[in-house]
Amino acid sequence: MKSRKLVSFSCAILLSIIIVSCNNVNTADQFTSGSYRFVFDESLSPLLDQELYVFKSIYPDAKPDVIYQPENKILDLMLNNKAKFAIMGRTLNPDEVKVLSNRNLPPQIGKIAEDAIALIVGKNSPDSLMLLSEVKSLFLSNTKTNKNLVFDSPNSSIINYLMKLSGTNQLKQKNVYALKNSKEVIKYVATHQDAIGFISYSWLLEPDADYASAAQNISVVGVKDDKAKNINNGYVKPSQSALALNQYSLKRTIYVVDCTGKVGLGTGFASFLQSERGQKIVLRSGLLPDSLPRRDINIKKDL
């Protein structure tokens, strides 16, 4: 009897430890504290680095574990239950939502900002203006061109965006090149007049010292939607105002995807991004906030 009681008592202690351990795992990260794995689209790092810097300065106990990955890798991690909080340049499609929901992890998806896909060429390149139909045709296998198309990654969200825009599901051309990151794209285009680079507009707004000189030796291509009803708008370069007025054709929405299924650090960061302070950071970055921050104006009456 004593032996059975001892075994029962030991099992109860073990069960208690397991329960406490599980609870600790679930509560290790809080709304503004603790650590949690965040996976972000590397093409959006200029904006997200700013957001993270301010968030961590306000909440010093928040220690997000951030990794930057190309879009296809992010989706692979999420769909295989290896990541539960991500920021991407597109939303999830119905099939992806279904996979996550079937695992009892229905994604909470919110908009953060509008970004532009910028086409860049060498400073002295004659290709400073392009029709949208010409941009689309660059990714079709039957198009002949002497231009090299340069991207930040073979699994880039920008490649996925342009392939979808062009109506193709694979790139067979020999003139398509993927480099290490967007900085390398800018550096390459600055020294190769036969190249067209494709990057997020955010990389051109406040260049870091390690690629600032290269950024001075590239030009941004103006794009014109030749099938738009109001064709008189002419060729438009990416800018905050062009995004706000819906004038630039190559734009995308930045989304936060939260599949954590709890109120934790991911929820806290998502709330910060969509708050007035988070949206002001988007505004200052040069991209277009999802919701324009309120601007208070005090009018004093002269006596």
Side-chain angles (χ1 to χ4, degrees):
M1 290 294 291
K2 288 183 179 180
S3 177
R4 289 183 179 179
K5 287 182 179 179
L6 183 60
V7 170
S8 299
F9 181 76
S10 299
C11 289
I13 292 293
L14 180 60
L15 181 60
S16 298
I17 292 172
I18 292 172
I19 292 172
V20 170
S21 298
C22 290
N23 287 338
N24 285 340
V25 169
N26 290 333
T27 60
D29 63 296
Q30 303 295 324
F31 198 73
T32 56
S33 65
S35 180
Y36 201 83
R37 171 67 58 85
F38 292 174
V39 186
F40 295 162
D41 187 328
E42 59 189 5
S43 71
L44 303 171
S45 63
L47 168 64
L48 298 180
D49 282 347
Q50 293 179 51
E51 297 279 7
L52 281 167
Y53 178 82
V54 177
F55 180 74
K56 290 192 290 185
S57 66
I58 298 171
Y59 307 109
D61 292 330
K63 303 184 186 301
D65 176 18
V66 179
I67 58 172
Y68 283 102
Q69 295 287 341
E71 183 178 277
N72 290 356
K73 180 63 175 177
I74 293 175
L75 290 169
D76 180 65
L77 290 171
M78 296 197 76
L79 295 176
N80 287 286
N81 204 27
K82 295 179 181 179
K84 297 180 181 179
F85 186 88
I87 295 179
M88 305 190 303
R90 73 164 176 87
T91 189
L92 300 179
N93 64 42
D95 289 338
E96 292 161 350
V97 171
K98 184 177 180 180
V99 169
L100 295 170
S101 298
N102 287 342
R103 293 177 181 161
N104 295 320
L105 294 171
Q108 302 297 315
I109 302 173
K111 295 180 181 179
I112 301 172
E114 295 289 330
D115 181 30
I117 306 299
L119 278 62
I120 58 173
V121 294
K123 196 168 186 178
N124 298 319
S125 173
D127 301 306
S128 58
L129 301 173
M130 293 186 71
L131 295 173
L132 182 59
S133 58
E134 293 175 325
V135 176
K136 293 178 180 179
S137 69
L138 290 173
F139 301 93
L140 303 179
S141 58
N142 59 352
T143 300
K144 294 181 179 180
T145 177
N146 59 351
K147 297 296 180 182
N148 292 325
L149 312 180
V150 189
F151 294 88
D152 56 339
S153 165
N155 298 306
S156 169
S157 59
I158 296 176
I159 287 182
N160 292 340
Y161 173 93
L162 291 165
M163 287 174 60
K164 183 177 180 180
L165 181 74
S166 305
T168 183
N169 55 12
Q170 58 182 331
L171 296 176
K172 297 181 178 180
Q173 302 96 308
K174 295 181 179 180
N175 64 324
V176 178
Y177 297 91
L179 304 180
K180 293 180 180 179
N181 51 50
S182 297
K183 291 182 183 180
E184 295 302 317
V185 173
I186 295 171
K187 292 177 181 178
Y188 183 90
V189 171
T191 56
H192 294 77
Q193 293 298 313
D194 60 344
I196 301 177
F198 301 83
I199 59 174
S200 165
Y201 176 56
S202 60
W203 286 92
L204 300 175
L205 297 170
E206 294 182 5
D208 292 340
D210 58 343
Y211 72 98
S213 60
Q216 293 177 354
N217 288 302
I218 59 99
S219 296
V220 180
V221 176
V223 179
K224 180 177 181 179
D225 187 349
D226 41 332
K227 293 184 179 180
K229 293 181 179 180
N230 186 8
I231 201 169
N232 295 324
N233 284 339
Y235 293 90
V236 181
K237 294 184 179 182
S239 68
Q240 196 171 64
S241 60
L243 289 170
L245 296 172
N246 202 30
Q247 295 174 336
Y248 188 67
S249 303
L250 303 174
K251 68 175 186 177
R252 61 177 178 171
T253 303
I254 302 173
Y255 291 90
V256 56
V257 182
D258 184 353
C259 299
T260 60
K262 64 176 184 177
V263 177
L265 193 59
T267 314
F269 187 59
S271 298
F272 172 77
L273 291 172
Q274 296 172 310
S275 70
E276 184 172 354
R277 176 167 278 182
Q279 292 291 285
K280 281 183 177 179
I281 295 172
V282 176
L283 187 65
R284 287 196 300 269
S285 77
L287 300 185
L288 182 68
D290 178 62
S291 58
L292 289 173
R294 184 183 65 226
R295 186 175 181 181
D296 295 326
I297 300 175
N298 295 322
I299 300 176
K300 294 183 179 180
K301 185 178 181 180
D302 294 331
L303 297 176

